[in-house]
Amino acid sequence: KQMLISNKRIRMLSLRNNEISNDGAKWLAEALRQNKTLIGLSLRNNHIGNQGIDFFGDALKINTTLRGLALYDNEYNLKGAKKLLRNISKYSGCQVELQPPSF
């Protein structure tokens, strides 16, 4: 977590297929609250559910640097995706790529 917070060089990060789950999403979202250099993050296929994407919605109210967040192939549903998009549309310029199985 500290590496992502203090990082000054990494601009794009792919953590695809790592089974991050909601617990890992919470950790990453906490780091995103403080990170000022990351502009792209791919979290495709990581078993992240509604709770996990809620953490990102909260973090993106604070983080104004991230411009792209890929969340394809995770375990959230349409209700969770809509909530995330509503939350970030008020605060963030980040584009979020969503494709839950229920779409």
Side-chain angles (χ1 to χ4, degrees), residues 4-16:
L4 190 55
I5 292 170
S6 62
N7 164 61
K8 301 286 188 251
R9 294 181 185 231
I10 298 173
R11 309 229 342 125
M12 304 289 283
L13 182 61
S14 176
L15 296 172
R16 294 169 64 172

Side-chain angles (χ1 to χ4, degrees), residues 50-94:
N50 287 348
Q51 182 183 32
I53 64 173
D54 279 349
F55 296 135
F56 291 114
D58 291 340
L60 291 172
K61 291 176 185 177
I62 297 165
N63 180 305
T64 58
T65 310
L66 194 69
R67 292 288 169 244
L69 176 62
L71 291 167
Y72 288 174
D73 303 321
N74 279 289
E75 297 174 0
Y76 53 86
N77 59 30
L78 183 58
K79 183 178 176 180
K82 285 181 177 181
K83 182 178 177 185
L84 171 67
L85 294 175
R86 261 193 322 271
N87 286 342
I88 68 166
S89 68
K90 299 174 190 173
Y91 302 98
S92 175
C94 182

